[in-house]
Amino acid sequence: KWQKAYKHVIQNVKDLEADLLVFYNYPKQIKSSIYSTNMIESFNNVVKRKAKPKAEFPNEQSLDTFIGIQAMSYNDRYFKRIHKGFGQVQDTLESYFE
C-alpha cells in the first residue's frame, strides 16, 4: 500500500530490518529490559544531580572527565546487580559472545 509513496523509506527500513529488530533474537526473559530505557534514564539523572552544583565546566575536556568518572562510579556501584531476567539466561547470553 505504501510502496509508491514511500519507496526510499521502505527500502531503507528493509535494509536495516535485521539491525532494528535484533533484540527479538534474545531470550524472552530479557526483552523488556533491553527495550526499556530505565537504566539509561537512571544514569542520566545521577549525572544531572551531581553536575548541577558545579554550574559550569571550564572546558569540554573537564565535562568529559566528569561524565567518565560518574559512569565508572555508577558501574562500580551496580557491578554485582543482576538485572531482571538476565540471571535466568546468563549461559545463553555468554554463548552469543563466545
Side-chain angles (χ1 to χ4, degrees), residues 29-34 81-89:
Q29 294 91 331
I30 65 170
K31 285 181 187 174
S32 63
S33 293
I34 294 172
R81 178 179 174 205
I82 297 177
H83 206 267
K84 179 183 172 188
F86 281 80
Q88 299 169 350
V89 294

Side-chain angles (χ1 to χ4, degrees), residues 27-46:
K28 179 177 71 171
Q29 294 91 331
I30 65 170
K31 285 181 187 174
S32 63
S33 293
I34 294 172
Y35 185 75
S36 170
T37 59
N38 290 344
M39 293 171 67
I40 296 167
E41 290 173 8
S42 172
F43 174 70
N44 287 342
N45 288 334
V46 168

Side-chain angles (χ1 to χ4, degrees), residues 47-62:
V47 171
K48 285 179 189 176
R49 187 174 57 248
K50 292 191 176 189
K52 196 174 229 176
K54 300 193 182 340
E56 290 185 22
F57 291 93
N59 56 39
E60 193 171 332
Q61 177 63 36
S62 65

Side-chain angles (χ1 to χ4, degrees), residues 62-98:
S62 65
L63 177 61
D64 288 345
T65 302
F66 173 78
I67 292 174
I69 290 169
Q70 296 308 312
M72 289 187 299
S73 170
Y74 189 83
N75 286 340
D76 289 343
R77 191 173 332 127
Y78 296 109
F79 179 71
K80 293 188 180 197
R81 178 179 174 205
I82 297 177
H83 206 267
K84 179 183 172 188
F86 281 80
Q88 299 169 350
V89 294
Q90 186 171 358
D91 294 338
T92 305
L93 293 174
E94 288 174 0
S95 70
Y96 289 169
F97 298 102
E98 289 179 344

